[in-house]
Each structure stands twice: as structure tokens, then as C-alpha cells.
């Protein structure tokens, strides 16, 4: 917050948009309003951004209070650079649809894999016995 | 009731009035403790009140009826006050607050009229009751920070009670449930207010004001402190205490009635700066909240962020009450009302002139029109004042947190600052961009929710976690990474003249290493030592005994396994030595001059140890057996270890290692087929080679080619294997190249060597020719002088063939 010298102090006015990546893979973008020593965050006017391929969609979520242990990383968004991305923004429904499709495809390929392994007599470790990440 | 009969006639003698007051007081007593009270059991009530003080729980005392009575009583007291004030000589003090203050001060005059009233034990008791009740209604962070104060408070009461107005006859009601513990994440308040931890006004009036129900708040202050210790009774509903000449503006008296208003009893601080205690500050800030209906329970340091600036600010002696009665405003450090409505650092200073005297407060009062709102106002206090240069936007949707206006102030200050900055052109384009940006989204009311202090606090915690006595030990990768970056940056800078990008480096706090010798706890007088197990002194839970196995019982496999394990252990030990040795350079730089020889000696010793480990310790024994070394080399990690050790070894030792490797190369190759780690040895080997004399080189080649076999043998499995392996071939090439180098550079080579060498060369070339191209391994690198080497020994035709093969 203060350790790294910057032109502007953190969490000051005008507020900067921050991007937070959570452990469950969600990406939140919002104005970081408050932080504490556990990295609990208070995000204002948060938007959950879902990425599928080259497309992304934003779901407005409001105010988020995130428990620190679930935060993977937090970074400031450069507002100038925010606009020039190769990604294409789509509507919420579309992105959710895309996400569903992607998930389905993944599941099917996973199934095939498991099947193939089974045929060869190998066992796949169950997800719950594995460490999550 | 006799109260109502209390004459309001101005002409009446004050003493007589006072006499009648006695009756009133008796009546008050009755109401409180006697039959008039709802709760007949005065003991119970008293105990409750005492409890209040102890625990800080505001009890809902008999509210209704007593309250009503209180109002009535208040009226009569009003009358009394009015009468008394007329006794005051100083007629300048028109201000109700002043009058009230004078009122209180008048009491302290010796022989004052009031002595009869105020000194009476009944009065005292009555005063103390409310005091007790009011004092610690809520628990706050400071509670656990500061020791309990009640006994002291009571003492204080005795002193100021003489001066205090008897506000209430009934026990005060602090309406809302106490504000309890602050959320864990908030920084402690006393961190930023170091001056104030002397005596302990521990508790705060509830920050959530319940305007209607709350009765009074007592503030006890440390008497030794600059500001008077003053229990301040604040009436809740004394709306009509003084006829307010100021219209709808809340008179300070009204402010008195506001719970948590920071009116302090003493009007004239003894010309010392009103060093505010926590309580006062809380009241100040609480007062701010009082006006807004949104009383967040949370006490946070942000409340004090501003107030801490008030430390040492000499308020005009005129009317601190008034000053502090500015509900919702903070006392600026600049003193006076100057920065009242603005952020202290960048206040609109000219707005409120420093009140020179009593008269000025009127003016100031007038400047507070919109500040003070009638209590039921449910909006946060509007901070827009005509005096302000920049009218503050009123935030309509603040539903939550507490010192909103403080934040606004801070935000305004931030705006100011950042505007200044942008105007000053810091950052050039960026600044300009930002200022326009700012203009666009000027009104972000949620910015700066965290005060700088809070941010600093969190940063401080994070930095504390980074404290380390030995950063290279604790955070090796980070250090290395940044060193690399710096080197890169330095290199770049050397090359290009471009603007050097500022690399912001986090400067971690460095803590001096302190030796803590742990001494187990000892109690005096105890027989023997206590077995207290702690983190530093853990108790032995398991008796783990090492039993060595007998050799006879083991099977062969076990033996093999054990041997392998031993080798692994050796490798690990040697690795530790190696890491230490590699670290010596850094330590050398950091150490003092005197220590350096010792360091070098240590280093040398360690290197020797490493070598011994490698080759197998047995100094008496002739180092004929490569067994140990081979064992190590069979293990992947061992090979890497050797590669890392080689640079540190003395040339002879290194050559020895090389020879051993060459000697056993086919074996190693076979073992390495899965790992393929041998090539990692190439580079250190080549380094070693460059220092080898010809003789060694020759014998190396010999080893490689394993020539003592009969030259007539058609095949040389050793050499073949070598040639077929990447590493082997590369190594061979390297050695040959070295030999050639030596030969070509130094013409005075010995003939004997020459013979051997020639023979070897012939052999090598023959082999090379013989081997089909496909089988030949792909070497890592082909030294350029091989052709010239071969050209000495073979004819052109073969040379061409060789060339194609290479």
C-alpha cells in the first residue's frame, strides 16, 4: 500500500479499479475500498468477469467483501490500457452460455480419459483425494 | 409540586431561590432513590448504576416517568441557572454556553451561593449516581488498551462535581446498547495517540446516539492532564434550557443535550491546550455521529485520525465547549475555528477567524447554521457552509459508517492535494490526465474510505512480517531474483542511454539479530525444576532410539539398499558442504576484515571434505577404488553434485575426478541411459581440461579409449560405447581438441608423449572411421581444431571421410 513509492497513494481518490483473482477461479473487478492485514478486501461496484476463449462478459455484483484467504492475487488496472485488449466483450447470457459449453466439453473429455484409463487398468485418483490446486 | 411553584421572579433573592432549591433537591432525591422512583429499591438501582460503571453497560433505568420528571426538573433548573447567571458580573457573556460555563465556574468560587447546594452530600450522591451510570456505557477498543478507571473517575467526580451542574436528578439513561468490541481488523486507536494513555478514561459514551432516550454522558478526564477533568452531565432533552437566540441552530445547550456531544464542563481550560483524551475525542467524533442517524457501532481509528491532530492545539480559552460543541466538526490543529470546516492541512483558513474573545463565538455560531441540525435529523450533517470555498457534496446515501464527514474532509483534502499535484505538473502528462480525470469523476464519495493512518497500519503489519535478520536465509529466491533484475538493469543502462526506469524496490526492514538464549522458567522456592513445556522447551514425547542392525541378518538386497542409502546420505552431506562453500563468497563480502582469513580457512576445509566425500574417505588406503565415486555417479543427484563441485577443486583433484570418470565411462553411460544427466558434466570438465597438461590429456584419452588393450582387437568396446554416447563423444572431442591445442601451441612436446599421443590418435581415428555414421552420437559441440588434429595422422581420403562424419 505504502511501501512501494507511487505517484498516488493507494486507495485514494480518484479510486483505481482493481482486479482480484480468487481461489475458485473467479475474477472480480472493482474499486478497492478497504484492505486489512489478512488481505480481506472490500470491493465496490464489483463486476465478475467471465472469460471464455477470446470473449468475456461482465456480471455486475455490487459490493464484495472477500475473505483474505481466498485471494490469489490483486492488481491495479491501468485504466488507459484497459481499453485496448484483444478480448471481445459479449453479453452476460452469451458468456454464460459459452462457459457452459466449455465446461461440458471439458467434462466430456475428462470422461473419455477416465474411460480410456479404466480400459487399461489404471485408476484415476478421485478429485476429493487430490489437493485442489 | 413544589417544583412548579418555583418562582421565576427575577427579583427574588438568589439565596432564597437556592433555599428552595434544597427542597427541589430533596424532591429529586426522592424521585431518584425514594418513593418517587419507579424502582423502589434504591439499593438495587444503585447497584445497577454501580454495575454500569463497572461493566459499562448502560442500564435502562426507569426511564419514562423519571424522565418526565427530569424534564420538569430541568426546567426548574433552567430557571435557577438563569437566575444565577444574572449574578454574573461579566455581562459580555451572552452566549448560553458561556453562561452555562460561568454557571459552573461560578460554583467554584469560594463562598459561592451554590456551596450549599453543591456541597451537600445529597447532591454529590446524586451527581455521582448519574456519573456512575453514564460513565462507561460502552466498551471500546480502548478498554482493553487502557486500565480501568472507575475508581479514579470517582475521585475526579468529587473534584469537578462542585463545578458541575447538577444536570439530572434521575439516573441517566444511555439508550442504546453499548458499542462493543471493535472489529479485529481495525487498527488500535492508541497507536496513533500516544499522548493519551496516561490516565484512563476508558470508555466511551455510546457512539450510537439515541437522542431521545439518552440522558447524559459523563466524561471523566484525567485531572493531571491539561484539560480539566470534567464529568459532564449532558441532558438529553433540555431543549429549552436557554432561549436560543440563534434560531433553529442547535445551541450549545442543545448540544449539551445531545449524547456524546463533546461539550466539556469546564469553560475555561487553564490556558493550556485542551489535550483531548480518548473520551473527549470519542465524544467529539461521537458527537459527529450523533447528528447523523447512522451510528455505526464501530469505533475505528479513523475517528481519531483527525483528532490526533488536535493534540496540543491551544484552543482559545474562551469557549472550548463551544468549540467542541461543534457537533460533527473536528477541532483543527490550528486552533480556533480556523480549519473548522476544512481539512486541517488545507483548510479554508480565512473563513473563520480565530475567535479572539467571547464575542466571536457568536459569529462562529452563526457560521454553524447548517451544521447543527435538530436532533431528529436523519441526515448526516451537511458540511456545506457559506464560508467554505468549496461546498461539500452532501452524500445522501450513506447508510453506514461513521465519520462520514471526516472522510469527506479527508477526501476534500485529497482532492486538494491531488489537484495541487496535478496542477504542479508532477508526472507531466499523467498529472494532466489525472486532473481531467478528476474533474470528471470528482464526486467519488467512496474514495478514501481507508484513511492514510489505516493504510499505514496495514502496511506496517505487512512490513513487520518481512523483518528478517538474514534475508538470504529467509527469502533466498526473492533476493536472488531482484539481484538478477538489478544486474539486468545495470547492464541495460550501460548499453543504452535510455531513461532508466525506476525500479521501485521494496526496502524491507532489517532487524538486528538478537541472541535469545532460552532459559526455562524457574520459580523461586520450588523444589527442583518445573517441567513446563513450551514452544522453546518442548517435552519429549517419543523415545526414539536408534538401533543398528546386525550385518548377518541382512539379505543381499537389503545390503544393496543400505549401501545406496548411505550413498544418498553422503551426497546430501556433500551438498550441504557445497552450498556452504558457494555461499562463502557472499559471506566474505559481508564479513569484517579480521574474519576473512578464518572464513577462507573454513572454506578450504570444506572443500577438502567434499572431495573426500566424493572419492571415499580412507586416507590410508590407496585410492584405487573408484567404487565410492561410482556409487555417487550412478545417482542423478550425485552427478549434478560433482558438476558443481568441480570448479572448487584443486586442479589435481579435478583431474583425478576426470580420470575416474573417463575410466568408467561405459559403466556410467550404461547407468545414465535413463537419466541422461552426464552432459551436465561437460562444461565443468571442459573447464578442467583447459588447465590440464598434455600428459594428463594423453592419459585421459587413454582412459577414454581404454587403449592398453591389444591394438589388434578389432573392436574396442570401450571406445565404441564412448563414441556412441553423446557425452562420451563430446568428452572425447573435447579432450582431443585440448590435446591438439597443446600440440599446436607448444612445439616442445616430449617425444614420449608424442608417441603415445600418436598412437592414441591413430586409434581414435580408426575407430571413428569404422563406426557407421548412424551410430555415431551427436556431440554437444565439435571443436574446430579436430580436423587439423586428424590431418596429422591420416591421409586425405580418410580425412574427408572423417570430415563427413563429424
Amino acid at each position: 500500500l505504502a511501501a512501494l513509492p507511487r505517484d498516488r497513494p493507494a486507495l485514494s481518490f480518484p479510486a483505481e479499479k482493481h482486479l482480484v483473482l480468487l481461489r475458485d477461479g473467479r475474477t472480480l473487478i472493482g474499486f478497492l475500498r478497504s484492505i486489512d492485514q489478512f488481505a480481506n478486501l472490500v470491493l465496490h461496484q464489483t463486476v465478475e468477469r467471465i472469460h471464455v476463449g477470446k470473449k468475456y462478459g461482465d456480471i455486475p455484483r455490487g459490493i464484495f467483501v472477500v475473505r483474505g484467504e481466498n485471494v490469489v492475487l490483486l492488481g491495479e488496472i491501468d485504466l488507459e490500457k484497459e481499453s485496448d485488449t484483444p478480448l471481445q466483450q459479449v453479453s452476460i447470457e452469451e458468456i454464460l452460455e459459452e462457459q457452459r459449453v466449455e465446461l461440458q466439453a471439458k467434462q466430456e473429455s475428462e470422461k473419455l480419459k477416465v474411460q480410456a484409463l479404466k480400459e487399461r487398468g489404471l485408476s484415476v485418483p478421485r478429485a476429493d483425494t487430490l489437493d485442489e490446486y | 409540586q413544589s417544583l412548579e411553584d418555583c418562582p421565576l421572579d427575577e427579583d427574588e433573592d438568589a439565596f432564597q431561590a437556592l433555599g428552595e432549591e434544597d427542597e427541589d433537591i430533596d424532591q429529586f432525591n426522592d424521585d431518584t432513590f425514594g418513593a418517587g422512583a419507579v424502582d423502589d429499591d434504591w439499593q438495587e438501582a444503585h447497584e445497577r448504576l454501580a454495575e454500569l460503571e463497572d461493566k459499562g453497560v448502560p442500564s435502562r433505568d426507569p426511564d419514562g416517568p423519571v424522565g418526565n420528571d427530569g424534564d420538569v426538573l430541568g426546567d426548574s433548573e433552567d430557571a435557577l441557572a438563569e437566575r444565577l447567571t444574572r449574578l454574573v458580573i461579566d455581562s459580555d457573556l451572552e452566549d448560553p454556553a458561556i453562561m452555562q460555563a460561568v454557571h459552573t465556574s461560578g460554583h467554584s468560587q469560594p463562598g459561592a451561593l451554590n456551596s450549599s447546594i453543591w456541597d451537600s452530600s445529597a447532591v454529590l450522591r446524586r451527581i455521582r449516581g448519574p456519573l456512575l451510570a453514564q460513565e462507561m456505557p460502552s466498551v471500546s477498543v480502548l478498554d482493553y488498551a487502557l486500565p480501568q478507571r472507575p475508581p479514579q473517575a470517582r475521585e475526579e467526580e468529587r473534584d469537578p462535581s462542585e463545578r458541575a451542574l447538577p444536570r439530572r436528578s434521575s439516573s441517566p439513561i444511555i439508550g442504546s446498547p453499548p458499542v462493543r468490541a471493535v472489529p479485529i481488523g481495525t487498527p488500535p486507536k492508541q497507536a496513533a495517540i500516544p499522548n493519551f494513555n496516561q490516565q484512563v478514561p476508558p470508555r466511551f459514551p455510546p457512539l450510537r446516539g439515541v437522542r431521545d432516550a439518552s440522558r447524559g454522558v459523563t466524561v471523566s478526564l484525567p485531572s493531571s492532564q491539561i484539560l480539566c477533568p470534567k464529568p459532564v452531565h449532558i441532558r438529553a432533552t433540555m431543549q429549552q434550557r436557554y432561549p436560543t437566540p440563534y434560531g433553529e441552530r442547535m445551541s450549545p445547550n442543545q448540544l449539551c443535550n445531545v449524547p456524546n456531544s463533546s461539550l466539556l464542563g469546564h469553560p475555561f481550560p487553564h490556558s493550556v491546550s485542551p489535550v483531548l483524551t480518548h473520551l473527549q475525542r470519542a465524544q467529539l467524533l461521537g458527537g459527529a455521529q450523533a447528528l447523523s442517524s447512522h451510528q455505526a457501532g464501530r469505533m475505528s481509528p479513523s475517528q481519531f485520525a483527525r483528532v490526533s491532530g488536535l493534540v496540543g492545539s491551544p484552543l482559545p480559552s474562551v469557549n472550548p465547549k463551544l468549540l467542541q460543541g461543534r457537533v460533527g466538526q473536528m477541532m483543527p490543529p490550528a486552533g480556533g475555528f480556523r480549519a473548522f470546516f476544512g481539512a486541517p492541512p488545507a483548510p479554508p483558513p480565512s473563513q473563520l477567524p480565530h475567535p479572539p474573545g467571547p464575542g466571536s463565538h457568536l459569529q462562529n455560531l452563526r457560521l454553524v447554521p447548517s451544521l447543527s441540525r435538530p436532533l431528529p435529523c436523519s441526515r448526516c450533517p451537511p458540511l456545506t457552509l457559506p464560508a467554505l470555498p468549496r461546498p461539500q457534496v452532501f452524500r445522501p446515501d450513506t447508510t453506514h459508517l461513521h465519520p462520514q464527514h471526516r472522510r469527506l474532509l479527508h477526501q476534500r483534502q485529497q482532492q486538494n492535494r491531488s489537484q495541487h499535484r496535478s496542477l504542479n505538473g508532477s508526472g507531466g502528462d499523467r498529472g494532466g490526465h489525472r486532473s481531467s480525470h478528476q474533474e470528471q469523476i470528482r464526486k467519488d464519495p467512496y474514495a478514501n474510505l481507508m484513511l492514510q493512518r489505516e493504510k499505514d497500519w496495514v502496511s506496517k503489519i505487512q512490513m513487520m512480517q518481512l523483518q528478517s535478520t538474514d534475508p538470504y536465509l529467509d527469502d533466498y529466491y526473492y533476493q536472488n531474483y531482484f539481484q538478477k533484475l538489478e544486474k539486468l538493469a545495470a547492464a541495460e543502462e550501460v548499453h543504452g542511454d535510455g531513461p532508466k526506469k525506476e525500479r521501485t524496490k521494496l526496502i524491507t526492514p532489517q532487524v538486528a539479530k538478537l541472541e535469545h538464549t532460552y532459559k526455562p522458567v524457574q520459580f523461586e522456592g520450588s523444589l527442583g525444576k518445573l517441567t513446563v513445556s513450551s514452544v522453546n522447551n518442548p517435552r519429549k514425547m517419543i523415545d526414539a532410539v536408534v538401533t543398528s542392525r546386525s550385518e548377518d541378518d541382512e539379505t543381499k538386497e537389503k545390503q544393496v539398499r543400505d549401501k545406496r542409502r548411505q550413498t544418498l546420505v553422503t551426497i546430501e552431506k556433500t551438498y550441504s558442504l557445497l552450498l556452504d562453500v558457494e555461499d562463502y563468497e557472499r559471506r566474505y563480502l559481508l564479513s569484517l576484515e579480521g574474519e576473512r582469513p578464518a572464513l577462507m580457512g573454513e572454506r578450504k576445509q570444506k572443500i577438502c571434505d567434499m572431495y573426500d566425500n566424493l572419492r571415499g574417505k580412507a586416507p590410508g588406503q590407496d585410492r584405487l577404488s573408484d567404487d565410492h565415486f561410482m556409487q555417487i555417479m550412478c545417482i542423478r543427484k550425485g552427478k549434478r553434485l560433482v558438476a558443481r563441485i568441480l570448479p572448487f577443486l584443486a586442479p589435481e583433484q579435478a583431474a583425478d575426478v576426470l580420470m575416474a570418470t573417463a575410466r568408467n565411462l561405459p559403466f556410467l553411460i550404461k547407468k545414465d541411459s535413463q537419466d541422461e544427466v552426464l552432459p551436465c558434466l561437460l562444461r565443468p570438465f571442459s573447464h578442467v581440461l583447459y588447465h590440464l597438461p598434455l600428459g594428463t590429456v594423453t592419459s585421459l584419452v587413454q582412459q577414454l579409449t581404454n587403449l592398453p588393450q591389444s591394438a589388434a582387437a578389432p573392436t574396442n568396446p570401450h571406445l565404441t560405447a564412448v563414441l556412441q554416447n553423446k557425452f562420451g563423444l563430446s568428452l572425447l572431442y573435447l579432450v582431443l581438441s585440448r590435446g591438439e591445442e597443446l600440440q599446436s601451441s607448444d612445439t616442445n612436446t616430449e617425444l614420449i608423449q608424442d608417441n603415445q599421443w600418436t598412437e592414441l590418435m591413430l586409434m581414435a581415428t580408426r575407430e571413428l572411421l569404422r563406426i557407421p555414421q548412424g551410430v555415431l552420437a551427436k556431440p554437444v559441440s565439435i571443436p574446430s581444431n579436430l580436423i587439423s588434429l586428424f590431418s596429422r595422422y591420416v591421409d586425405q581420403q580418410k580425412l574427408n571421410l572423417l570430415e563427413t562424419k563429424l
Side-chain angles (χ1 to χ4, degrees), chain B residues 184-252:
Chain B
I184 298 180
T186 53
K189 282 170 216 64
Q190 72 273 18
I193 2 178
N195 310 353
F196 291 105
N197 50 1
Q198 320 93 354
Q199 287 92 354
V200 188
R203 305 191 229 208
F204 292 88
L207 302 176
R208 275 184 279 146
V210 178
R211 269 158 243 114
D212 306 314
S214 63
R215 296 304 182 192
V217 172
T218 307
V219 177
S220 292
L221 313 168
S223 58
S224 69
Q225 292 322 302
I226 307 163
L227 251 199
C228 44
K230 288 244 60 123
V232 171
H233 295 263
I234 298 177
R235 278 184 236 249
T237 56
M238 297 301 176
Q239 307 276 351
Q240 262 64 45
R241 184 168 176 87
Y242 295 103
T244 149
Y246 303 108
E248 94 287 9
R249 243 173 291 125
M250 201 157 67
S251 72

Side-chain angles (χ1 to χ4, degrees), chain A residues 49-67:
Chain A
R49 186 164 287 187
I50 303 181
H51 288 270
V52 177
K54 284 260 178 186
K55 304 189 193 158
Y56 70 91
D58 286 345
I59 306 175
R61 295 281 193 191
I63 299 182
F64 254 88
V65 175
V66 182
R67 190 180 161 92

Side-chain angles (χ1 to χ4, degrees), chain A residues 56-99:
Chain A
Y56 70 91
D58 286 345
I59 306 175
R61 295 281 193 191
I63 299 182
F64 254 88
V65 175
V66 182
R67 190 180 161 92
E69 66 174 332
N70 296 301
V71 173
V72 170
L73 57 84
L74 161 73
E76 187 185 331
I77 293 180
D78 191 339
L79 294 166
E80 295 146 31
K81 292 190 186 156
E82 198 185 7
S83 31
D84 48 53
T85 68
L87 303 174
Q88 171 206 8
Q89 179 163 23
V90 297
S91 69
I92 297 178
E93 299 82 16
E94 197 178 330
I95 199 68
L96 285 173
E97 177 63 28
E98 295 258 356
Q99 198 184 35

Side-chain angles (χ1 to χ4, degrees), chain B residues 217-339:
Chain B
V217 172
T218 307
V219 177
S220 292
L221 313 168
S223 58
S224 69
Q225 292 322 302
I226 307 163
L227 251 199
C228 44
K230 288 244 60 123
V232 171
H233 295 263
I234 298 177
R235 278 184 236 249
T237 56
M238 297 301 176
Q239 307 276 351
Q240 262 64 45
R241 184 168 176 87
Y242 295 103
T244 149
Y246 303 108
E248 94 287 9
R249 243 173 291 125
M250 201 157 67
S251 72
N253 192 42
Q254 281 182 323
L255 295 180
C256 280
N257 304 335
V258 172
N260 318 326
S261 129
S262 49
L263 281 179
L264 299 180
H266 192 72
F268 306 104
H270 322 289
S271 69
V272 197
S273 58
V275 172
L276 301 174
T277 62
H278 306 274
L279 214 55
Q280 290 163 300
R281 252 175 274 117
Q283 286 191 322
L284 253 187
L285 311 171
Q289 305 170 22
L291 279 190
S292 71
S293 64
H294 321 297
Q295 308 285 346
R298 185 167 90 94
M299 289 273 300
S300 95
S302 52
Q303 287 196 354
F304 300 102
R306 287 291 152 203
V307 185
S308 50
L310 299 175
V311 174
S313 71
L315 286 180
S317 65
V318 167
N319 200 358
K321 241 198 278 186
L322 201 57
L323 284 176
Q324 291 140 3
R326 295 272 175 264
V327 181
Q329 296 306 321
M330 273 174 296
M331 295 304 110
F337 297 103
R338 222 182 317 132

